[in-house]
């Protein structure tokens, strides 16, 4: 038995060492393709190609592999990866939830998936109908007058919204100088404001995790173009004074931009327009079901009040008198086109399918379940992990590692150990105003059984932190790759593979 175990270990080690290194298993003469005989006359290279734009030397390091080598490599990698279809994905703020398969089926309809982006309007009526209906649905959900689905992601939507605010203020005669941003807002907000030419000032949070009204009142001058706030904010709190906040900003001539990345807590329950905001973006890839792990795809539609509608990016989808649809470029006050084509169309299809499948009641139930799940986790872990801003939360709950640091354990150690329990780690160290933050968002996808397993895992990790803190510092143990040196990875990243590089790093 001992020898058999050693053989299994060796075989596993051999597989692990070779994974991701297709070059290492490359052998001259291997190939994974079979081409038919040439059925056209051979033409001299110089007659067929412009040699000035061709390579003079051969490509380096292209592996030679059989088809089965490649298939096994990528299939094996897929079994080592973690995804929303495998289990709970509690990344706070990112909203990683289950993507219903009906959405994928609809997004793959040939007439939509295969449509050329340069197709004329008369041949793209179905696609234009998808865009128009989605904009109408998002307008109804937000309560705002008009929507564009052109922005490619959330930060792109922020930029678009701020461009419109600047255009409107410029037309009034003064674009103003500053943008106020609460310390509980999403981290991309300041960048969007600065790109639009503004300086940023930070509004502090009060003791309950909402915008400090006294500070905002003193900071809101006639130099301020807008307030950019996230609602619910990154502390998982709904801004209870949102109506008063909007009235204050408007009274002094500014606009209110709402970061709607956390709309998973509001859909079907609160229409942001009713609180007084002027413009907001949403993340279709979060609230409306296209999981965006791995960096994409995304979509960040922007909804605006009637005052800002003239500044929306062009082209706009409009319905003609005969019922047909067309792209309208006659928008003299528009901020212009902000993307080469009209949004990430596959994400738009999935979002519309998600909205139509759920309907009004289903969308409200989605929101209620997401909020309930977050509060369920908060309740059962409140005596195990510190909640720096106690009280009811919305779709996500923020813990800290304050109690675990007494044993020398940090939030990153908790995250690594959680992997051994079969869960993807929550968002770590965000929001920045909470030292050692652990940001958990269960979404509506998870049932009580899965939530209980997560809660039990977090409690067990807390017990391990007190009993054997080194165990957490050495975790994870069940992954194909152990804990990485994140400092070296950041300071000395290996951006390109070369033969022998692995052995050199091992020696170094």
């Amino acid at each position: 038995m001992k020898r058999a175990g050693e053989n299994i270990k060796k075989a596993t080690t051999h597989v692990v060492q070779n994974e991701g290194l297709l070059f290492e298993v490359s052998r001259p003469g291997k190939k994974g393709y079979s081409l038919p005989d040439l059925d056209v006359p051979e033409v001299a290279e110089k007659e067929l190609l412009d040699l000035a734009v061709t390579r003079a030397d051969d490509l380096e390091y292209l592996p030679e592999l059989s088809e089965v080598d490649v298939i096994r490599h990528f299939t094996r990698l897929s079994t080592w990866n973690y995804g929303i279809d495998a289990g709970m994905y509690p990344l706070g703020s990112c909203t990683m939830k289950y993507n219903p398969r009906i959405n994928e089926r609809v997004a793959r309809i040939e007439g939509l998936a295969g449509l050329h982006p340069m197709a004329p309007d008369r041949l793209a009526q179905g696609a234009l109908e998808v865009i128009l209906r989605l904009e109408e649905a998002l307008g109804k959900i937000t309560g705002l007058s008009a929507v564009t689905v052109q922005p490619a992601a959330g930060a792109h939507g922020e930029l678009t919204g701020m461009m419109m605010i600047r255009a409107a203020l410029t037309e009034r005669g003064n674009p103003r100088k500053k943008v106020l941003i609460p310390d509980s807002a999403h981290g991309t907000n300041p960048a969007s404001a600065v790109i639009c030419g503004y300086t940023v000032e930070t509004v502090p949070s009060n003791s309950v995790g909402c915008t400090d009204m006294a500070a905002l009142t003193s900071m809101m001058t006639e130099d301020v173009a807008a307030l950019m706030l996230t609602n619910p904010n990154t502390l998982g709190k709904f801004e209870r004074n949102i109506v008063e906040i909007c009235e204050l900003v408007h009274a002094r001539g500014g606009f209110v931009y709402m970061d709607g990345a956390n709309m998973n807590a509001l859909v079907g329950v609160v229409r942001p327009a009713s609180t007084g905001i002027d413009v907001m973006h949403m993340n279709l890839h979060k609230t409306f079901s296209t999981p965006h792990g791995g960096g994409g795809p995304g979509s960040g539609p922007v909804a605006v009040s009637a005052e800002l509608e003239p500044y929306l990016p062009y082209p706009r989808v409009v319905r003609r008198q005969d019922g047909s649809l067309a792209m309208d470029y006659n928008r003299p006050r528009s901020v212009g086109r902000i993307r080469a084509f009209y949004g990430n169309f596959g994400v738009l299809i999935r979002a519309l399918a998600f909205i139509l499948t759920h309907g009004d009641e289903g969308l409200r139930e989605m929101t209620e379940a997401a909020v309930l799940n977050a509060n369920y986790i908060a309740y059962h872990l409140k005596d195990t992990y510190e909640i720096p801003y106690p009280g009811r939360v919305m779709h996500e709950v923020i813990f800290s590692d304050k109690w675990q640091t007494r044993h020398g354990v940090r939030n990153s150690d908790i995250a690594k150990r959680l992997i051994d329990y079969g869960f993807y780690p929550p968002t770590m160290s965000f929001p920045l105003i909470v030292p050692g933050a652990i940001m958990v968002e269960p979404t509506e996808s998870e049932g009580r059984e899965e939530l209980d397993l997560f809660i039990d895992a977090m409690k067990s990790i807390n017990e391990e932190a007190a009993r054997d803190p080194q165990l957490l510092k050495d975790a994870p143990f069940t992954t194909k790759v152990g804990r990485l040196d994140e400092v070296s990875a950041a300071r000395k990243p290996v951006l390109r593979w070369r033969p022998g590089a692995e052995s050199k790093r091992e020696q170094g």
Side-chain angles (χ1 to χ4, degrees):
M1 284 294 290
K2 181 178 179 181
R3 182 175 299 174
E6 291 175 350
N7 289 338
I8 292 172
K9 183 178 180 180
K10 288 179 181 178
T12 303
T13 301
H14 168 74
V15 170
V16 173
Q17 287 176 342
N18 281 309
E19 273 315 312
L21 298 175
L22 283 180
F23 298 99
E24 301 287 6
V25 297
S26 172
R27 296 293 181 273
K30 281 188 175 185
K31 59 182 181 180
Y33 63 89
S34 179
L35 299 178
D37 294 334
L38 191 66
D39 60 353
V40 296
E42 292 190 23
V43 180
E45 183 179 43
K46 63 182 180 180
E47 296 178 15
L48 184 65
L49 299 173
D50 179 359
L51 298 184
V53 296
T54 61
R55 293 179 63 101
D57 55 336
D58 292 333
L59 290 173
E60 292 183 287
Y61 315 135
L62 287 179
E64 297 180 65
L65 301 157
S66 69
E67 180 177 330
V68 69
D69 289 334
V70 176
I71 292 298
R72 285 178 177 172
H73 167 75
F74 286 107
T75 301
R76 192 176 293 118
L77 283 183
S78 73
T79 66
W80 294 355
N81 199 9
Y82 190 95
I84 190 64
D85 292 342
M88 182 178 173
Y89 217 117
L91 280 177
S93 184
C94 287
T95 313
M96 290 290 291
K97 61 184 182 180
Y98 177 68
N99 179 31
R101 287 302 176 265
I102 185 64
N103 301 355
E104 293 299 317
R105 184 172 182 179
V106 172
R108 284 164 172 74
I109 293 174
E110 184 177 354
L112 296 175
L115 182 66
H116 195 285
M118 295 294 288
D121 294 349
R122 62 185 178 81
L123 298 180
Q125 291 295 296
L128 297 181
E129 189 75 38
V130 168
I131 292 171
L132 187 62
R133 289 196 185 189
L134 178 59
E135 289 180 349
E136 291 172 348
L138 295 176
K140 180 179 179 181
I141 289 169
T142 62
L144 289 160
S145 298
V147 178
T148 175
V149 295
Q150 197 174 137
H156 199 197
E158 294 171 16
L159 177 63
T160 304
M162 290 308 300
M163 288 170 65
M164 288 189 284
I165 287 174
R166 187 174 185 90
L169 289 172
T170 300
E171 214 171 89
R172 289 183 189 175
N174 180 12
R176 301 195 173 194
K177 301 176 181 179
K178 302 176 184 178
V179 169
L180 303 182
I181 302 179
D183 58 9
S184 61
H186 275 120
T188 50
N189 289 182
S192 298
V194 169
I195 290 174
C196 287
Y198 292 107
T199 58
V200 172
E201 292 185 0
T202 302
V203 184
S205 296
N206 58 24
S207 59
V208 296
C210 294
T211 301
D212 187 302
M213 287 297 295
L216 177 61
T217 301
S218 65
M219 298 170 71
M220 187 60 216
T221 68
E222 293 186 358
D223 280 337
V224 175
L227 170 70
M228 296 181 76
L229 83 166
T230 302
N231 194 27
N233 62 35
T234 59
L235 295 171
K237 302 293 185 178
F238 185 84
E239 291 284 353
R240 60 181 66 179
N241 295 319
I242 183 63
V243 174
E244 291 81 2
I245 288 172
C246 291
E247 290 175 348
L248 169 63
V249 175
H250 291 155
R252 299 185 183 178
F255 287 93
V256 178
Y257 180 96
M258 180 181 137
D259 183 316
N262 293 338
M263 274 292 287
N264 216 53
L266 302 183
V267 177
V269 177
V270 175
R271 286 191 175 94
S274 64
T275 66
I277 66 160
D278 301 290
V279 53
M280 66 175 292
H281 86 269
M282 294 157 278
N283 295 66
L284 298 188
H285 54 282
K286 293 169 64 171
T287 305
F288 300 104
S289 93
T290 304
H292 58 298
S299 180
V302 173
V304 297
S305 63
E307 183 179 0
L308 291 176
E309 189 275 338
Y311 308 100
L312 284 170
Y314 64 67
R316 301 281 295 139
V317 178
V318 295
R319 194 178 298 279
R320 295 169 171 157
Q321 289 186 348
D322 63 2
S324 65
L325 298 173
M327 288 288 196
D328 178 18
Y329 290 83
N330 185 23
R331 307 275 301 178
R333 299 166 71 190
S334 169
V335 295
R337 183 192 282 275
I338 60 164
R339 198 171 186 279
F341 298 107
Y342 208 90
N344 283 338
F345 189 59
V347 182
L348 306 185
I349 298 171
R350 291 176 177 86
L352 181 60
F354 185 87
I355 291 170
L356 295 179
T357 302
H358 281 73
D360 294 347
E361 294 182 4
L363 290 174
R364 182 183 180 92
E365 184 179 350
M366 170 198 84
T367 299
E368 291 172 343
V371 173
L372 177 62
N373 283 351
N375 281 276
Y376 184 80
I377 289 176
Y379 176 81
H380 286 283
L381 291 179
K382 62 182 173 63
D383 297 325
T384 308
Y385 295 87
E386 183 205 34
I387 299 180
Y389 294 91
R392 181 178 177 181
V393 298
M394 298 299 289
H395 63 307
E396 60 194 3
V397 53
I398 315 300
F399 301 103
S400 85
D401 62 5
K402 182 178 180 179
W403 298 341
Q404 286 70 36
T405 55
R406 294 175 297 192
H407 310 295
V409 171
R410 302 304 305 269
N411 59 351
S412 58
D413 302 318
I414 296 168
K416 302 297 185 184
R417 184 57 176 156
L418 193 58
I419 296 173
D420 289 331
Y421 282 83
F423 291 98
Y424 196 91
T427 296
M428 293 289 146
S429 304
F430 185 79
L432 299 178
I433 57 176
V434 176
I438 303 171
M439 191 183 207
V440 181
E441 181 177 0
T443 80
E444 74 279 3
S445 299
E446 309 308 326
R448 183 172 178 178
E449 295 80 6
E450 188 77 1
L451 298 180
D452 287 338
L453 288 173
F454 178 80
I455 290 166
D456 289 343
M458 292 292 284
K459 288 182 176 179
S460 295
I461 291 171
N462 176 62
E463 294 172 0
E464 292 172 345
R467 184 176 66 251
D468 186 4
Q470 191 60 44
L471 178 71
L472 274 65
K473 295 180 181 180
D474 293 336
F477 301 99
T478 59
T479 52
K480 301 297 181 183
V481 178
R483 184 177 290 210
L484 304 176
D485 184 344
E486 297 177 6
V487 175
S488 295
R491 293 180 178 176
K492 300 178 181 178
V494 178
L495 303 178
R496 182 179 180 185
W497 183 91
R498 290 184 180 277
E502 289 296 317
S503 60
K504 289 178 182 178
R505 282 199 294 274
E506 290 172 3
Q507 294 171 5

